Amino acid sequence: MASALRDWLDKPNAGRGVHLASDDGGWEFRDYGELAGAARRTATALIEQGVRPGDVVCMILPTDFTCVETYYGIWAAGATVCLITPPLFQDGDDYVAHVAAILRQASPALTIASADLAPLAARAMDAAGIAGEPWLPRQGDAEAEVQEPGQLALLQFTSGSSGAPRGVMVTWDNLEANIELIARTAGFEDGDVVASWLPLYHDMGLIGCFITPITVQATLKLMRPDQFIRDPARWVRCFAEAAHTAAPPFALAYAARRVKPEQLEGVDLSGWQSAIIGAEPIDPHALESFARMAEPFGFRRETFMPAFGMAETTLLVTMDHVRRRPLAVRPDEAALEFGKPVTVLERHELGEESLGAKAGWVVGCGTPQDDVPVRVVDDSGQELPAGCLGEIVVGGESACLGYYAGAEGKSTRFEDGSVHTGDAGFFFEGQLFVLGRMGDSIKVRGRSVYVEDLESKIAEVSGLGKGRIVVVGVPGAGTRGLALFAETGAGEWAGDVREMLRRRLGDEVEVTIVIGSGLIQRTSSGKPRRRYMWERLRAGKLDGATVL
């Protein structure tokens, strides 16, 4: 069970380890022997503090070696880890309220925070009714024996893009099965190097690019997200040595815009084996833009491995593990209807055509493996034939038990050992294509219209970037509506957008357009908090908002 994930603590490979990016452009290295010793000394201090196997321990730490050692120190003590994001763009009060909501549900035996974050953590503990003070990371004098753990390895709190944060219960069996799936489908080989800038509090960064390489004692080159934002070329240069990574599509588009050829001079990217792409709808234009930037340095489009996953299935569900160019299709949006066949109007493999692929295109996320069964079902839960649109349901060893402390999801449900994801999708040519969250859509004339598709169309019509637009499906008794939030001070494009929406949706859908600066609220993983934004607007608490 837990032995495979923690085995390195007893048998560390001192020839490999973690390279942590420093702010001067260099790298600081600690081998697995050093890290294992520090983790076990941290476990000693935790046990002395009263932490016991099965206890939940929350961590609020930046990405540094202390974070690595504390994480595995908690595991060595047999406890369950609950990682909480450090503050990003939230103000202090919003951040404290967010952390307090997690603490109330997690009921941790201990909350660990760095010295600079301890005051905020203390406020959150007080708001959650948890006595005591945050525990500053420290190590004991001796190296503890690795303790037999409880059932749960992780409490993985969902980011809250479609509701309040909820803690997914991830067992040791869930985690071991998913890590084996990731390593197998990505083609990990002994001695491979992994590079990542993804935050550790997000499932793709934590499980895909942190726990997986450390479990197999691969060399890991780890950057912080802010370091990637400042210098994306630094991340790309890692793949002169590294073979594997994962990233959301927006990061590829960002790197394609920012990285200049002279920054990669002399870099050979031909050894780059896999780039797992997921966490948001996959834009073929973003993939092709990155490929064209990196291709002169040996990058191959076959390196892209589009994937679908979610916290409730530990992480990975499907990934295109066949070495081929990603496949993009354009369904007939006017004919999309739940439970009915999807008409594919166009298809192409990643390449020249992808540069012109704007709104309406979907990229395939691979074929399910035998040990992770995936079904597409209708509203009654009946499995649909391949090619029909329905809800994606996932089974297998990676399917988690449910939410902690009896919390309930919005779109996502756990039934009979399977996860009903709340995502709509269909199979085409054996691959899974994902359209988006069922909760982030509206029904128009008997069909579902997904707000992510509308955002792409609105970006085209308005001339605003996609990152400055968020559409929310607005619930109402007997009515259908959309709220469009745009981060801009001018709304001269509003008439054209309204007319486009009227043509696509009809006159019965009410459209509210809101403009202003700082309107868009995002989760820790960068997804828009749609429902939260609408609720703030209705309550008159969205500062700087102007309704057109």
Side-chain angles (χ1 to χ4, degrees), residues 171-212:
T171 68
W172 294 99
D173 288 340
N174 290 151
L175 197 52
E176 187 171 336
N178 209 255
I179 284 174
E180 193 278 329
L181 176 68
I182 293 168
R184 168 167 34 101
T185 51
F188 272 44
E189 295 183 0
D190 188 48
D192 281 351
V193 177
V194 176
S196 176
W197 59 267
L198 295 176
L200 300 186
Y201 48 79
H202 185 255
D203 50 12
M204 191 159 74
L206 175 63
I207 296 171
C209 293
F210 180 73
I211 299 175
T212 296

Side-chain angles (χ1 to χ4, degrees), residues 76 106 195 202 276 286 422 444 452 524:
H202 185 255
I276 302 171
V444 178
E452 290 158 344
S524 59

